[in-house]
Amino acid sequence: MTPTELSLTIPLLGVFVLFGGCYGLFYSIGQLYKNGQLIVWGYVMYILQCLTTATILALTPLAPLWKLFIIFSCLTYFIIPSLTWRYLKLLHHSTEAQP
């Protein structure tokens, strides 16, 4: 990997993680405060993460195995906030039911 390729790959991977974190943050805060706009902004962040994934796949010289890992990570990012939110609701309701 040349320095030029590296200087493109590193920021793209950082933006990938940033958009994933913003998706989780907006989704969770939107769920907490029952704010549909924040949830929509979360999904916008996820779409931007998907576009970043496509850019990484098209423009970086990462090995095919790493590119598969990026795809798998992007798909996994989508389900983590909703699964975590459901688990927290279940955990909260189970502690309320105990005397």
Side-chain angles (χ1 to χ4, degrees):
M1 186 177 300
T2 68
T4 304
E5 292 170 333
L6 190 62
S7 66
L8 174 67
T9 303
I10 291 172
L12 282 172
L13 291 173
V15 168
F16 172 83
V17 172
L18 178 68
F19 283 140
C22 288
Y23 161 57
L25 180 69
F26 284 123
Y27 179 88
S28 299
I29 293 173
Q31 290 288 344
L32 180 64
Y33 293 110
K34 296 179 181 18
N35 185 327
Q37 285 183 326
L38 287 175
I39 294 171
V40 168
W41 274 107
Y43 288 125
V44 167
M45 294 297 127
Y46 182 73
I47 290 168
L48 291 173
Q49 185 185 37
C50 290
L51 293 173
T52 304
T53 299
T55 304
I56 290 169
L57 297 176
L59 300 180
T60 65
L62 293 173
L65 187 60
W66 283 109
K67 288 184 178 185
L68 282 174
F69 178 72
I70 296 293
I71 293 168
F72 178 74
S73 296
C74 187
L75 296 172
T76 304
Y77 266 97
F78 183 73
I79 62 172
I80 288 174
S82 61
L83 285 176
T84 303
W85 188 256
R86 276 189 249 151
Y87 174 72
L88 289 173
K89 281 176 48 178
L90 179 67
L91 185 65
H92 180 71
H93 290 296
S94 69
T95 58
E96 282 181 350
Q98 294 177 358

